[in-house]
Amino acid sequence: DLPYSCTVCIPEPPRPSLPMDHDAFISPYDDPNECKKKSLFIKRDKLMIDEVELGSGNFGCVKKGVFKMESKQIDVAIKVLKNENEKSVKDEMMREAHFMHQLSDPFIVRMIGLCEAEALMLVMEMAPAGPLNKFLSGKKDQVTIENIVMMMHQVSMGMKYLEGRNFVHRDLAARNVLLVNQQYAKISDFGLSKALGADDNYYKARTGGKWPLKWYAPECIQFHKFSSKSDVWSFGITMWEAFSYGGKPYKKMKGPEVMSFIDSGNRMDCPAGCPEAMYELMKECWTYKHEERPGFVKVEEKMRTFYYSICKKIPDYMKTENGKPPK
Ligand code: ADP
Ligand code: MG
């Protein structure tokens, strides 16, 4: 004879796991005990570093690891700076860390801290399923269009958060959207990001660096002006990459060719199988004049509305108190 309280043990019908089911939805520092100790720097003895490389770049490589907290251990990704790098590269990583330190959103990769030991290391929460473009590539049969709409809606929520904080990302692309799992996307790579001053609505870059031109709006290339509106342009390119299952934007065109292609009023075609409403939104993101381009408040609303219109059941994390989606 079972205690009556066991009636609550009846399993719920199966459904795909959603972001809020995952530990990564809440900050590991949500625990007040962990919070007390939170600082930008973390001690080397709290960190175990695997040999497994998750990715690499000019700066060095990203390794898998584990971070020991007071009450738990969490998987982390560690950006390890090569020691032979010049001071300027080190400064860049410090800036990236200071930037990430200010962010807290379920749809943005969280920074755990900086560690100065055998190398300078940026420790982040782990997004095990990796970059969106690689994940989707060759997966037309396994990943539905609804799934992609959901992921891109999550990216729009993360971007709306950044826009609200007056932060510009400047490198939004499918390669910089990382997946916790097939249902949960997070924005990453804040190496080029900037916090705008209270009275500024754009960042003016003094020099053009190694820029991802195919993701950049006309005003970025012509006037070096970066704003949330130019991030919206990049969001449109990221949508195109996602709906073409990790396709390369503008095929074999080179950066300068893309610029004249855009200036003459051309835009990329609708990816095969991509819903018309999503292609319309991409084209809105590619509005030539930034003054006329929508912001992320609009973009997120359109992604959400479209997602509700196609998904059979509204996920709980999108419901308000009355169980219905917000208007
Ligand atoms: P870069 O500035 O060189 O593009 P990124 O921050 O984009 O550096 O990281 C490079 C690669 O490392 C990513 O493409 C990804 O494969 C891997 N990576 C970075 N951060 C994480 C993370 N938090 N979780 C899992 N993999 C990661
Ligand atoms: Mg990157």
Side-chain angles (χ1 to χ4, degrees), residues 54-59 61-62 76-79 96 109-110 124-131 134 171 175-176 178-179 188-191:
L54 299 166
S56 64
N58 295 328
F59 62 88
C61 61
V62 178
V76 290
I78 311 162
K79 214 172 190 172
E96 185 176 351
V109 169
R110 295 182 196 277
M124 298 166 277
E125 67 175 352
M126 169 79 166
K134 282 196 195 153
D171 201 5
R175 62 179 173 277
N176 289 330
L178 301 181
L179 298 177
S188 80
D189 197 348
F190 295 91

Short mmCIF file of all heavy atoms in Angstrom, two decimals, residues 54-59 61-62 76-79 96 109-110 124-131 134 171 175-176 178-179 188-191, ligand 1:
data_model
loop_
_atom_site.label_atom_id
_atom_site.label_comp_id
_atom_site.label_asym_id
_atom_site.label_seq_id
_atom_site.Cartn_x
_atom_site.Cartn_y
_atom_site.Cartn_z
N LEU A 54 37.17 22.28 -28.06
CA LEU A 54 35.83 22.50 -28.60
C LEU A 54 35.89 23.36 -29.86
O LEU A 54 34.99 23.35 -30.68
CB LEU A 54 34.95 23.20 -27.56
CG LEU A 54 34.71 22.45 -26.26
CD1 LEU A 54 34.13 23.36 -25.22
CD2 LEU A 54 33.80 21.26 -26.52
N GLY A 55 36.93 24.14 -29.97
CA GLY A 55 37.06 25.03 -31.11
C GLY A 55 38.39 25.74 -31.02
O GLY A 55 39.10 25.63 -30.01
N SER A 56 38.74 26.46 -32.08
CA SER A 56 39.99 27.22 -31.99
C SER A 56 39.90 28.49 -32.84
O SER A 56 39.02 28.64 -33.67
CB SER A 56 41.17 26.37 -32.44
OG SER A 56 41.02 26.03 -33.79
N GLY A 57 40.81 29.39 -32.60
CA GLY A 57 40.85 30.65 -33.34
C GLY A 57 42.25 31.20 -33.30
O GLY A 57 43.17 30.52 -32.83
N ASN A 58 42.43 32.43 -33.74
CA ASN A 58 43.75 33.05 -33.75
C ASN A 58 44.28 33.23 -32.32
O ASN A 58 45.47 33.13 -32.07
CB ASN A 58 43.70 34.41 -34.43
CG ASN A 58 43.36 34.26 -35.90
OD1 ASN A 58 43.72 33.27 -36.54
ND2 ASN A 58 42.65 35.25 -36.43
N PHE A 59 43.33 33.50 -31.42
CA PHE A 59 43.67 33.81 -30.03
C PHE A 59 44.26 32.60 -29.29
O PHE A 59 45.00 32.74 -28.35
CB PHE A 59 42.42 34.28 -29.30
CG PHE A 59 41.36 33.22 -29.27
CD1 PHE A 59 41.32 32.29 -28.24
CD2 PHE A 59 40.41 33.13 -30.29
CE1 PHE A 59 40.37 31.28 -28.23
CE2 PHE A 59 39.45 32.12 -30.28
CZ PHE A 59 39.44 31.19 -29.26
N CYS A 61 42.70 28.47 -28.15
CA CYS A 61 41.66 27.47 -28.37
C CYS A 61 40.63 27.47 -27.24
O CYS A 61 40.84 28.08 -26.19
CB CYS A 61 42.27 26.09 -28.53
SG CYS A 61 43.16 25.60 -27.06
N VAL A 62 39.52 26.80 -27.50
CA VAL A 62 38.48 26.67 -26.48
C VAL A 62 38.46 25.22 -26.02
O VAL A 62 38.31 24.31 -26.83
CB VAL A 62 37.10 27.10 -27.04
CG1 VAL A 62 36.01 26.91 -25.99
CG2 VAL A 62 37.13 28.56 -27.49
N VAL A 76 32.08 23.50 -18.19
CA VAL A 76 32.43 24.82 -18.73
C VAL A 76 33.21 24.71 -20.02
O VAL A 76 33.79 23.65 -20.33
CB VAL A 76 33.24 25.66 -17.71
CG1 VAL A 76 32.38 26.09 -16.54
CG2 VAL A 76 34.49 24.92 -17.22
N ALA A 77 33.19 25.80 -20.78
CA ALA A 77 34.04 25.94 -21.96
C ALA A 77 35.06 27.01 -21.61
O ALA A 77 34.70 28.05 -21.05
CB ALA A 77 33.19 26.35 -23.16
N ILE A 78 36.32 26.75 -21.89
CA ILE A 78 37.39 27.67 -21.47
C ILE A 78 38.16 28.18 -22.68
O ILE A 78 38.78 27.41 -23.41
CB ILE A 78 38.37 26.96 -20.51
CG1 ILE A 78 37.58 26.24 -19.40
CG2 ILE A 78 39.35 27.95 -19.91
CD1 ILE A 78 38.39 25.18 -18.67
N LYS A 79 38.06 29.50 -22.89
CA LYS A 79 38.82 30.12 -23.96
C LYS A 79 40.22 30.38 -23.44
O LYS A 79 40.40 31.18 -22.52
CB LYS A 79 38.13 31.46 -24.33
CG LYS A 79 38.21 31.84 -25.78
CD LYS A 79 37.32 33.06 -26.03
CE LYS A 79 37.16 33.33 -27.50
NZ LYS A 79 36.18 34.36 -27.80
N GLU A 96 36.34 41.57 -23.46
CA GLU A 96 35.26 40.61 -23.69
C GLU A 96 34.69 40.12 -22.36
O GLU A 96 33.47 40.03 -22.18
CB GLU A 96 35.81 39.44 -24.54
CG GLU A 96 34.76 38.43 -24.96
CD GLU A 96 35.34 37.34 -25.89
OE1 GLU A 96 36.50 37.47 -26.33
OE2 GLU A 96 34.60 36.38 -26.15
N VAL A 109 25.08 33.09 -23.64
CA VAL A 109 26.07 32.26 -22.94
C VAL A 109 26.61 33.04 -21.74
O VAL A 109 27.03 34.19 -21.87
CB VAL A 109 27.22 31.86 -23.89
CG1 VAL A 109 28.38 31.22 -23.12
CG2 VAL A 109 26.73 30.91 -24.98
N ARG A 110 26.58 32.40 -20.57
CA ARG A 110 27.02 33.10 -19.36
C ARG A 110 28.52 32.94 -19.15
O ARG A 110 29.07 31.87 -19.37
CB ARG A 110 26.30 32.53 -18.14
CG ARG A 110 24.82 32.77 -18.15
CD ARG A 110 24.17 32.22 -16.88
NE ARG A 110 22.74 32.09 -17.06
CZ ARG A 110 21.87 33.10 -16.91
NH1 ARG A 110 22.30 34.30 -16.58
NH2 ARG A 110 20.58 32.90 -17.07
N MET A 124 33.39 29.98 -19.45
CA MET A 124 31.97 30.19 -19.77
C MET A 124 31.18 28.93 -19.50
O MET A 124 31.76 27.84 -19.47
CB MET A 124 31.81 30.50 -21.26
CG MET A 124 32.49 31.73 -21.74
SD MET A 124 32.56 31.72 -23.55
CE MET A 124 33.98 30.72 -23.83
N GLU A 125 29.88 29.04 -19.37
CA GLU A 125 29.06 27.84 -19.30
C GLU A 125 29.17 27.13 -20.65
O GLU A 125 29.40 27.75 -21.68
CB GLU A 125 27.61 28.17 -18.98
CG GLU A 125 26.92 28.93 -20.11
CD GLU A 125 25.45 29.17 -19.84
OE1 GLU A 125 24.90 28.63 -18.87
OE2 GLU A 125 24.86 29.91 -20.64
N MET A 126 29.00 25.83 -20.59
CA MET A 126 29.19 25.00 -21.76
C MET A 126 27.90 24.89 -22.58
O MET A 126 26.83 24.72 -22.02
CB MET A 126 29.58 23.63 -21.20
CG MET A 126 29.58 22.55 -22.15
SD MET A 126 31.10 22.67 -23.10
CE MET A 126 31.04 21.09 -23.81
N ALA A 127 28.03 25.03 -23.89
CA ALA A 127 26.90 24.78 -24.79
C ALA A 127 27.28 23.56 -25.63
O ALA A 127 27.86 23.69 -26.70
CB ALA A 127 26.65 26.01 -25.65
N PRO A 128 26.96 22.35 -25.10
CA PRO A 128 27.54 21.12 -25.65
C PRO A 128 27.22 20.83 -27.11
O PRO A 128 27.99 20.15 -27.77
CB PRO A 128 26.97 20.01 -24.76
CG PRO A 128 26.28 20.68 -23.63
CD PRO A 128 26.02 22.10 -23.99
N ALA A 129 26.07 21.29 -27.61
CA ALA A 129 25.72 20.93 -28.99
C ALA A 129 26.39 21.84 -30.04
O ALA A 129 26.21 21.63 -31.24
CB ALA A 129 24.21 20.87 -29.17
N GLY A 130 27.15 22.83 -29.57
CA GLY A 130 28.00 23.59 -30.48
C GLY A 130 27.32 24.61 -31.39
O GLY A 130 26.14 24.91 -31.24
N PRO A 131 28.09 25.16 -32.33
CA PRO A 131 27.57 26.24 -33.20
C PRO A 131 26.38 25.82 -34.08
O PRO A 131 26.37 24.72 -34.62
CB PRO A 131 28.77 26.60 -34.08
CG PRO A 131 29.97 26.04 -33.40
CD PRO A 131 29.49 24.88 -32.61
N LYS A 134 26.99 24.52 -37.81
CA LYS A 134 27.53 23.15 -37.88
C LYS A 134 26.46 22.14 -37.49
O LYS A 134 26.35 21.08 -38.08
CB LYS A 134 28.73 23.00 -36.94
CG LYS A 134 30.00 23.59 -37.50
CD LYS A 134 31.21 23.05 -36.73
CE LYS A 134 32.43 23.89 -37.02
NZ LYS A 134 33.39 23.85 -35.91
N ASP A 171 28.85 40.82 -34.03
CA ASP A 171 29.32 39.59 -34.69
C ASP A 171 28.25 38.51 -34.62
O ASP A 171 28.56 37.33 -34.43
CB ASP A 171 30.64 39.12 -34.05
CG ASP A 171 31.43 38.19 -34.97
OD1 ASP A 171 31.03 37.99 -36.14
OD2 ASP A 171 32.47 37.67 -34.52
N ARG A 175 27.45 30.98 -36.68
CA ARG A 175 28.64 30.37 -36.03
C ARG A 175 28.77 30.82 -34.57
O ARG A 175 29.42 30.15 -33.77
CB ARG A 175 29.92 30.73 -36.79
CG ARG A 175 30.21 32.21 -36.83
CD ARG A 175 31.49 32.63 -37.55
NE ARG A 175 31.54 34.10 -37.63
CZ ARG A 175 30.93 34.82 -38.54
NH1 ARG A 175 30.25 34.24 -39.51
NH2 ARG A 175 30.97 36.15 -38.50
N ASN A 176 28.14 31.94 -34.23
CA ASN A 176 28.22 32.46 -32.87
C ASN A 176 26.93 32.27 -32.07
O ASN A 176 26.76 32.85 -31.00
CB ASN A 176 28.63 33.93 -32.89
CG ASN A 176 30.08 34.09 -33.30
OD1 ASN A 176 30.90 33.21 -33.04
ND2 ASN A 176 30.40 35.19 -33.96
N LEU A 178 25.30 29.32 -30.11
CA LEU A 178 25.67 27.99 -29.64
C LEU A 178 24.44 27.28 -29.08
O LEU A 178 23.54 27.93 -28.55
CB LEU A 178 26.76 28.08 -28.57
CG LEU A 178 28.07 28.76 -28.97
CD1 LEU A 178 29.05 28.74 -27.79
CD2 LEU A 178 28.70 28.12 -30.19
N LEU A 179 24.43 25.96 -29.20
CA LEU A 179 23.28 25.20 -28.74
C LEU A 179 23.61 24.42 -27.46
O LEU A 179 24.64 23.75 -27.38
CB LEU A 179 22.81 24.22 -29.81
CG LEU A 179 22.35 24.84 -31.13
CD1 LEU A 179 21.98 23.74 -32.12
CD2 LEU A 179 21.15 25.77 -30.91
N SER A 188 26.57 33.86 -28.38
CA SER A 188 27.91 33.87 -27.78
C SER A 188 28.86 34.77 -28.56
O SER A 188 28.44 35.46 -29.48
CB SER A 188 28.48 32.45 -27.74
OG SER A 188 28.99 32.09 -29.01
N ASP A 189 30.13 34.71 -28.22
CA ASP A 189 31.23 35.44 -28.87
C ASP A 189 31.05 36.97 -28.84
O ASP A 189 30.60 37.59 -29.80
CB ASP A 189 31.42 34.96 -30.32
CG ASP A 189 32.78 35.38 -30.87
OD1 ASP A 189 33.45 36.23 -30.24
OD2 ASP A 189 33.17 34.86 -31.93
N PHE A 190 31.44 37.54 -27.72
CA PHE A 190 31.30 38.99 -27.53
C PHE A 190 32.62 39.73 -27.77
O PHE A 190 32.83 40.82 -27.26
CB PHE A 190 30.73 39.26 -26.13
CG PHE A 190 29.32 38.72 -26.00
CD1 PHE A 190 29.09 37.44 -25.54
CD2 PHE A 190 28.24 39.49 -26.42
CE1 PHE A 190 27.81 36.92 -25.47
CE2 PHE A 190 26.95 38.98 -26.35
CZ PHE A 190 26.74 37.70 -25.88
N GLY A 191 33.47 39.11 -28.59
CA GLY A 191 34.78 39.69 -28.88
C GLY A 191 34.74 41.05 -29.54
O GLY A 191 35.68 41.84 -29.40
P1 ADP B 1 36.13 33.41 -31.90
O1 ADP B 1 36.18 34.81 -31.43
O2 ADP B 1 37.47 32.85 -32.28
O3 ADP B 1 35.12 33.16 -32.97
P2 ADP B 1 34.31 31.98 -30.12
O4 ADP B 1 33.94 32.60 -28.81
O5 ADP B 1 33.27 32.07 -31.19
O6 ADP B 1 35.71 32.58 -30.60
O7 ADP B 1 34.71 30.45 -29.87
C1 ADP B 1 35.29 29.63 -30.88
C2 ADP B 1 34.66 28.25 -30.91
O8 ADP B 1 34.80 27.60 -29.65
C3 ADP B 1 33.16 28.25 -31.18
O9 ADP B 1 32.89 28.26 -32.55
C4 ADP B 1 32.71 26.96 -30.52
O10 ADP B 1 32.94 25.85 -31.37
C5 ADP B 1 33.64 26.85 -29.32
N1 ADP B 1 32.98 27.44 -28.13
C6 ADP B 1 33.12 28.71 -27.69
N2 ADP B 1 32.40 28.95 -26.59
C7 ADP B 1 31.77 27.79 -26.30
C8 ADP B 1 30.85 27.36 -25.26
N3 ADP B 1 30.45 28.21 -24.31
N4 ADP B 1 30.40 26.10 -25.29
C9 ADP B 1 30.80 25.24 -26.26
N5 ADP B 1 31.65 25.57 -27.25
C10 ADP B 1 32.14 26.82 -27.28
#
